[in-house]
């Protein structure tokens, strides 16, 4: 759907997604490593409207794919 210039393309009835998961343990989408809070060194990627978090080790191992904006299913 295209929007007019100056028009907000988001659905006004749908609230924006929170920046951090509420009271949930964050888990690496690649290896499953849990974290109490989202560490600032973890990587967050939004793919198809869904947030994916990656631990330091997984992010380092796949840095080129992440910078190339490949979906995590490709790496």
């Amino acid at each position: 759907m295209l929007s007019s210039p100056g028009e907000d393309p988001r659905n006004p009835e749908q609230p924006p997604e929170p920046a951090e998961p509420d009271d949930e343990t964050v888990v690496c989408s690649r290896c499953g490593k849990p974290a109490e809070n989202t560490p600032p060194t973890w990587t967050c990627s939004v793919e198809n409207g869904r947030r994916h978090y990656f631990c330091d080790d997984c992010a380092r191992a796949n840095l080129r794919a992440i910078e190339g904006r490949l979906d995590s299913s490709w790496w």
Side-chain angles (χ1 to χ4, degrees):
M1 180 168 118
L2 297 175
S3 60
S4 307
E7 183 180 321
D8 189 355
R10 293 176 288 171
N11 184 353
E13 296 179 17
Q14 183 178 3
E17 190 174 323
E20 296 288 329
D22 295 330
D23 298 329
E24 294 182 15
T25 301
V26 176
V27 178
C28 177
S29 295
R30 186 95 175 134
C31 70
K33 179 180 176 181
E36 293 277 327
N37 296 315
T38 307
T41 56
W42 279 35
T43 301
C44 177
S45 173
V46 178
E47 300 171 11
N48 299 321
R50 189 165 178 218
R51 291 179 190 266
H52 296 274
Y53 293 93
F54 300 101
C55 68
D56 297 330
D57 296 330
C58 290
R60 280 190 201 112
N62 298 288
L63 184 62
R64 287 183 179 222
I66 292 169
E67 287 180 345
R69 297 181 185 255
L70 296 176
D71 283 346
S72 59
S73 60
W74 286 91
W75 45 276

